[in-house]
Amino acid sequence: MRKNNLKKLDLARNLSKKKGFSKLLSKELIDSLINLLSLNIKKKKLNLKNLGTFKIINKDKRIGRNPKTKKIHTIIARKSIVFTASKSLTKSINR
């Protein structure tokens, strides 16, 4: 079974083909975009019109269990990113 994950290099190649940029410039643009998005998400919430909203949530410390060994351990408190798709994105996917 093969995974069809999209990689940054795939995005750079597609950008290069469609817009005529060099592959190096395309890779730098993708890297800059991802860096800019992650910096803005760290400010708690990022809303991209017609795409969706990224926001940070805080997860509390909790007890977890290894299903194989049944050993109990503590999962530390951490921050996590949640993405909620916009209505227009959801509609376009379901067409």
Side-chain angles (χ1 to χ4, degrees):
M1 188 163 126
R2 183 175 174 218
K3 292 183 180 179
N4 291 325
N5 294 334
L6 186 63
K7 299 180 179 89
K8 287 194 300 185
L9 189 58
D10 298 330
L11 286 173
R13 283 187 195 134
N14 288 339
L15 183 63
S16 175
K17 283 181 186 176
K18 291 190 179 198
K19 297 298 178 185
F21 300 143
S22 69
K23 288 182 183 177
L24 181 62
L25 176 62
S26 297
K27 186 180 179 309
E28 288 174 2
L29 287 171
I30 298 295
D31 287 340
S32 296
L33 176 65
I34 291 171
N35 188 27
L36 182 65
L37 290 174
S38 64
L39 287 174
N40 282 300
I41 291 171
K42 286 180 183 177
K43 295 178 182 174
K44 281 289 190 193
K45 191 172 180 181
L46 173 66
N47 187 4
L48 297 173
K49 189 156 176 96
N50 297 327
L51 183 64
T53 303
F54 295 90
K55 67 180 178 181
I56 293 178
I57 60 169
N58 292 314
K59 293 192 173 188
D60 295 332
K61 181 171 89 169
R62 62 188 173 98
I63 306 255
R65 184 181 313 123
N66 183 333
K68 191 172 186 179
T69 64
K70 308 292 188 224
K71 184 178 178 184
I72 294 175
H73 60 93
T74 304
I75 299 171
I76 62 171
R78 65 198 183 281
K79 292 181 181 179
S80 184
I81 298 174
V82 176
F83 175 74
T84 306
S86 69
K87 288 181 183 179
S88 61
L89 178 62
T90 305
K91 283 181 184 178
S92 69
I93 290 172
N94 289 318
R95 285 187 199 161

